[in-house]
């Protein structure tokens, strides 16, 4: 088995496969997506653990099992009738009966000075991951273009603070009923174009800056690896990440390409606990497919 990507999804998949006695190669290239964050949250028994510490523990716990961790990434994949040939960036070619992709996504932040520098510290994405730490504080949420996403985020983030401003970076494109509901919740709307963030203030093109304790942003995303495109894996065709996330069978993680599974951020399971669970689910599905397929091919005797 080959697992490409060693974040939460890939590590948990390798753990399940190793415990099923599957010889597994786990490719680990680069830090996990959540590395800039000071802590991971919402994970039973590990709430508040730094992301890189979670990664260290995950690698350590693979030691008893037939899992090889290799610091490289897949460059090209060639399908064959009964396996895949995978050429690594270092030039080595490996073969695997099944592939599990867990390469994640890249966050595409708006091109506004200060956002990248504050990402994971003063600039956040997920309120379930970071909302508790800034509860009841003055928060702003940047949703360029406004619309339904701005309404959704305004209602959601209001759960953590009564001091919330939605920054739509231009016209808010909200319906009258949405605007009225947000006003009833005490959520303010600021349509001024944003030109910067300095860790404590949102800087606008015109007028006074907005002081706040943290800034939330919903970034765009792109697949981190070119492998899904090489293989022709289908992508979802609806929602804000249409054309980005891979389409999989929910109960197994199987992509549109036979023998290729996917888990974690790249299929939309974008919290640590969800990514890990999707890796475990895909690994169990792969093991079952191989076990029953091998059993069916063995000759039977009277």
């Amino acid at each position: 088995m080959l697992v490409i990507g060693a974040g939460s999804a890939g590590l948990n998949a390798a753990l399940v496969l190793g415990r099923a006695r599957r010889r597994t190669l786990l490719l680990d290239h680069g830090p996990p997506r959540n590395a800039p964050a000071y802590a991971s949250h919402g994970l039973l028994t590990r709430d508040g653990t730094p992301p890189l510490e979670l990664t260290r523990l995950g690698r350590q716990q693979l030691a008893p099992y037939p899992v090889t961790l290799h610091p490289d990434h897949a460059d090209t994949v060639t399908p064959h009738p009964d396996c895949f040939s995978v050429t690594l960036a270092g030039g080595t070619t490996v073969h695997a009966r099944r592939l599990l992709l867990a390469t994640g996504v890249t966050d595409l932040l708006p091109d506004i000075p200060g956002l990248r520098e504050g990402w994971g510290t003063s600039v956040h994405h997920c309120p379930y991951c970071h909302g508790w730490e800034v509860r009841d504080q003055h928060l702003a949420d940047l949703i360029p273009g406004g619309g339904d996403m701005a309404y959704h985020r305004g209602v959601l983030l209001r759960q953590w603070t009564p001091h919330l401003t939605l920054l739509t970076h231009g016209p808010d494109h909200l319906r009258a009923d949405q605007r009225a509901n947000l006003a009833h919740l005490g959520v303010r709307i600021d349509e001024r174009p944003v030109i910067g963030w300095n860790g404590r203030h949102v800087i606008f093109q015109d007028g006074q800056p907005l002081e706040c304790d943290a800034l939330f942003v919903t970034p765009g995303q792109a697949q981190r690896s070119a492998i899904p495109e090489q293989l022709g894996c289908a992508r979802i065709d609806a929602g804000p990440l249409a054309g980005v996330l891979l389409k999989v069978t929910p109960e197994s993680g199987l992509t549109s390409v036979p023998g290729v599974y996917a888990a974690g951020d790249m299929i939309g399971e974008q919290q640590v606990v969800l990514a890990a669970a999707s890796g475990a689910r895909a690994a169990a599905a792969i093991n079952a497919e191989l076990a029953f397929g091998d059993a069916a091919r063995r000759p039977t005797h009277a």
Side-chain angles (χ1 to χ4, degrees), residues 129-189:
C129 300
H130 303 290
W132 174 261
E133 284 66 38
V134 293
R135 64 194 183 280
D136 295 326
Q137 297 182 31
H138 290 268
L139 308 180
D141 193 13
L142 176 61
I143 315 99
D148 290 342
M149 178 59 76
Y151 179 71
H152 172 84
R153 293 280 293 189
V155 172
L156 188 65
L157 270 167
R158 177 60 181 79
Q159 181 69 22
W160 280 269
T161 183
H163 313 295
L164 175 63
T165 302
L166 296 181
L167 310 173
T168 58
H169 196 55
D172 64 35
H173 294 118
L174 291 164
R175 300 192 311 267
D177 62 311
Q178 292 175 328
R179 202 174 288 112
N181 287 343
L182 290 171
H184 176 72
L185 292 171
V187 177
R188 293 168 293 280
I189 301 168

